[in-house]
Amino acid sequence: MQPKEIEARHIITKSKLPGLSYCINPYIGCLHACVYCYAGFMRRFTNHCNDKWGSFVDVKMNADKIFSDDFAHLKPNDSLFFGSVTDVYQPAESRYQLTRSLLKLIIQKQKSALFSEPVEMSILTKSDLVLRDIDLLLQIPSCSVGFSIALMDEKARRIFEPCASPVKQRLAALRELHQAGIQTFVFLGPILPFITPIKAIFQEIDGSVDSIFGETLNTRCGNLSQIYSAVLKYDRCLLNSFQQAIQNIEYWMSIESLFRAQADQYHLTVEGFYCHSGTQ
């Protein structure tokens, strides 16, 4: 698939996510093609209404040029989040290196003493390509890096996250970042009923993260039929139980209780648990 090179008007946009001031998305679309992704709503804003989410990526070629103008509007206590509706380390980043360029600009801005304290910054990804930029991340003292992890076995990963990095590679990258002294976190989600192994994930990340987020499956974005198809591919016997669980508020309450109990057991700070239960 050939990425489309475009010119953007802004690279930093206001965030609707709790606790985050602004988002940075140097790409439109994401070729990881996760079947449960709810960012598909972006298609109607980006001239991709007829394109399947996960089949296209637009590259904001002028990202670094417009970054300075956008950065000038930030305040000292603002926070930046890389990757709210795209993965900033998806395959296109290997070629275009937009994320790396933006990290270099952040370092330059912070050295210019524009703010008395560094702007907080976090990155969420499914790709171990982030390891390429350890040299830059170590120069941003307020930076944290997290990985989305919802699965453990490769069969499930190939079905639900077909083009994302294998989970073992993410876990290895998480350990390497943590050992390098970079703040790390895991976004455990979306939690797929009877498929996401919550206890196993907590066990695997023990000692490699500073905090954790959790999120239940969001089925309100037109993605339900493809999720069901993926469940059938994974295990046909699960579909009926899966369908019942996603509409059961009590089930999701028990999942949140398990999540928080595991966080307590492993002495991890829960930064948030987002629940989308009961609606489609």
Side-chain angles (χ1 to χ4, degrees):
M1 200 285 303
Q2 182 64 35
K4 180 181 178 182
E5 299 178 355
I6 65 169
E7 298 287 305
R9 290 184 296 175
H10 297 285
I11 194 65
I12 301 176
T13 57
K14 285 190 175 182
S15 170
K16 295 182 180 179
L17 299 172
L20 298 171
S21 307
Y22 293 92
C23 296
I24 297 179
N25 292 292
Y27 303 98
I28 296 172
C30 181
L31 295 183
H32 283 164
C34 302
V35 299
Y36 51 68
C37 184
Y38 52 78
F41 71 89
M42 289 295 296
R43 290 180 300 169
R44 65 180 183 268
F45 302 118
T46 58
N47 298 317
H48 287 287
C49 288
N50 297 321
D51 297 321
K52 182 180 178 181
W53 185 255
S55 69
F56 65 88
V57 60
D58 295 348
V59 183
K60 300 178 182 179
M61 297 300 293
N62 61 335
D64 55 345
K65 294 179 181 178
I66 58 177
F67 180 82
S68 294
D69 290 339
D70 285 352
F71 198 91
H73 294 96
L74 299 183
K75 298 176 182 177
N77 60 346
D78 282 338
S79 56
L80 296 176
F81 177 54
F82 276 70
S84 61
V85 290
T86 190
D87 194 314
V88 300
Y89 284 103
Q90 64 175 294
E93 172 63 17
S94 295
R95 172 182 173 185
Y96 290 98
Q97 300 193 27
L98 296 187
T99 300
R100 183 169 179 83
S101 294
L102 294 176
L103 292 178
K104 290 180 179 179
L105 287 170
I106 287 174
I107 293 169
Q108 292 175 12
K109 294 292 184 182
Q110 292 188 159
K111 287 181 177 179
S112 70
L114 179 64
F115 299 135
S116 57
E117 294 186 10
V119 173
E120 291 187 10
M121 193 196 85
S122 58
I123 297 170
L124 180 63
T125 183
K126 282 190 174 85
S127 175
D128 59 346
L129 179 59
V130 67
L131 293 176
R132 179 200 64 190
D133 293 339
I134 281 185
D135 61 322
L136 301 180
L137 297 171
L138 287 170
Q139 299 179 57
I140 307 175
S142 55
C143 176
S144 62
V145 178
F147 283 85
S148 293
I149 299 177
L151 309 162
M152 286 296 294
D153 67 281
E154 269 299 284
K155 176 185 176 182
R157 199 277 305 167
R158 288 193 298 269
I159 292 171
F160 290 93
E161 306 168 347
C163 300
S165 295
V167 180
K168 285 185 178 180
Q169 290 179 207
R170 292 180 231 172
L171 292 170
L174 190 67
R175 288 190 288 270
E176 186 170 341
L177 289 164
H178 190 75
Q179 291 170 2
I182 295 168
Q183 288 286 111
T184 55
F185 65 93
V186 157
F187 196 99
L188 201 166
I191 296 170
L192 303 167
F194 314 113
I195 299 175
T196 298
I198 295 175
K199 289 184 178 180
I201 291 173
F202 271 96
Q203 184 175 7
E204 283 291 334
I205 65 175
D206 184 30
S208 299
V209 296
D210 301 290
S211 59
I212 192 163
F213 296 79
E215 183 177 33
T216 66
L217 179 64
N218 185 343
T219 60
R220 297 177 292 183
C221 302
N223 55 1
L224 196 54
S225 63
Q226 63 189 38
I227 291 172
Y228 286 164
S229 295
V231 173
L232 282 170
K233 289 179 183 178
Y234 180 71
D235 185 345
R236 298 186 67 88
C237 297
L238 279 181
L239 184 59
N240 186 53
S241 298
F242 185 96
Q243 290 173 322
Q244 293 180 26
I246 61 175
Q247 296 300 308
N248 189 329
I249 294 177
E250 291 183 355
Y251 171 79
W252 288 122
M253 290 175 63
S254 70
I255 290 296
E256 181 174 0
S257 295
L258 172 62
F259 177 90
R260 293 187 180 277
Q262 288 290 293
D264 286 343
Q265 178 180 335
Y266 289 96
H267 309 291
L268 287 176
T269 300
V270 176
E271 298 290 354
F273 187 92
Y274 311 112
C275 190
H276 305 283
S277 63
T279 56
Q280 293 186 15

